[in-house]
Amino acid sequence: NAGVTQTPKFQVLKTGQSMTLQCAQDMNHNSMYWYRQDPGMGLRLIYYSASEGTTDKGEVPNGYNVSRLNKREFSLRLESAAPSQTSVYFCASSEAYGRGTRNIQYFGAGTRLSVL
Amino acid sequence: AQSVTQLDSQVPVFEEAPVELRCNYSSSVSVYLFWYVQYPNQGLQLLLKYLSGSTLVKGINGFEAEFNKSQTSFHLRKPSVHISDTAEYFCAVSNTGTASKLTFGTGTRLQVTL
């Protein structure tokens, strides 16, 4: 009954370092998403993958890259971390992107990232 | 484009009192509406959803919300809150089309005290 699993839970980086946030879902969902959450701004979509083999930019993609490794896994990479990327990152999945009732999204527990 | 406005960033309330968290949306087409709850240091959990049918939607933990199309609102209510309801609540909207993303409000922090 794991749902959406994110690793790591916490991370501290120095400016310029790189890292990859991992996300895996076990619900056989087709679509996966990466959001960032900042105080007073709600959740903003970074990238999404409507289906295996496709990825698209969301609202705030600059400074990030993603890989849909297979149907289960969707990773988010910061190539050169900046203090502005200090945030809480959430991965989510849904049965099918944009397909009405099948677009209900389920979230992981988040990764709390600090960039010094 | 769609948008969501949560009018209150924080709502303090005493235990066993009723509470209403307000949400208004803007969209030029039909919508689906959601409320998510985020407990401290956790991810978002779906509280309830409006997809179609009855405008009064019941969710988990005794919460309910009413879809009002004329006022473009989807306010969340609970008749008697508990300490354990302390959390951040997010309203979200997507349109009913075939390529719609989920748009979140900025959240309302519900603080329940004795």
Side-chain angles (χ1 to χ4, degrees), chain A residues 10 35 37 40-45 59 88 90 97-101 103-110 112, chain B residues 32 34 36 38 40-44 46 49 51 88 90 94 96-102 104-107:
Chain A
F10 303 94
Y35 292 89
Q37 182 183 27
M41 302 189 75
L43 276 78
R44 293 180 292 170
L45 184 64
E59 185 181 354
V88 182
F90 288 100
Y97 176 75
R99 297 291 180 90
T101 61
N103 192 29
I104 295 171
Q105 295 183 24
Y106 299 87
F107 286 78
R112 284 152 182 80
Chain B
Y32 298 128
F34 308 85
Y36 283 85
Q38 184 182 27
N41 298 315
Q42 295 187 27
L44 277 72
L46 184 64
K49 60 187 181 291
L51 303 177
E88 186 106 25
F90 292 93
S94 70
T96 59
T98 58
S100 171
K101 67 182 180 73
L102 199 59
F104 286 87
T106 53

Side-chain angles (χ1 to χ4, degrees), chain B residues 17-80:
Chain B
V19 70
E20 178 180 84
L21 305 184
R22 297 181 291 171
C23 172
N24 287 88
Y25 69 92
S26 173
S27 175
S28 57
V29 297
S30 299
V31 296
Y32 298 128
L33 292 155
F34 308 85
W35 276 99
Y36 283 85
V37 59
Q38 184 182 27
Y39 298 106
N41 298 315
Q42 295 187 27
L44 277 72
Q45 178 182 357
L46 184 64
L47 197 57
L48 50 77
K49 60 187 181 291
Y50 170 78
L51 303 177
S52 65
S54 173
T55 56
L56 183 63
V57 179
K58 293 189 184 297
I60 61 172
N61 300 338
F63 283 92
E64 63 180 33
E66 185 157 19
F67 171 52
N68 188 319
K69 188 175 181 180
S70 62
Q71 297 187 6
T72 60
S73 67
F74 191 54
H75 300 333
L76 181 69
R77 301 185 183 99
K78 187 170 182 178
S80 176

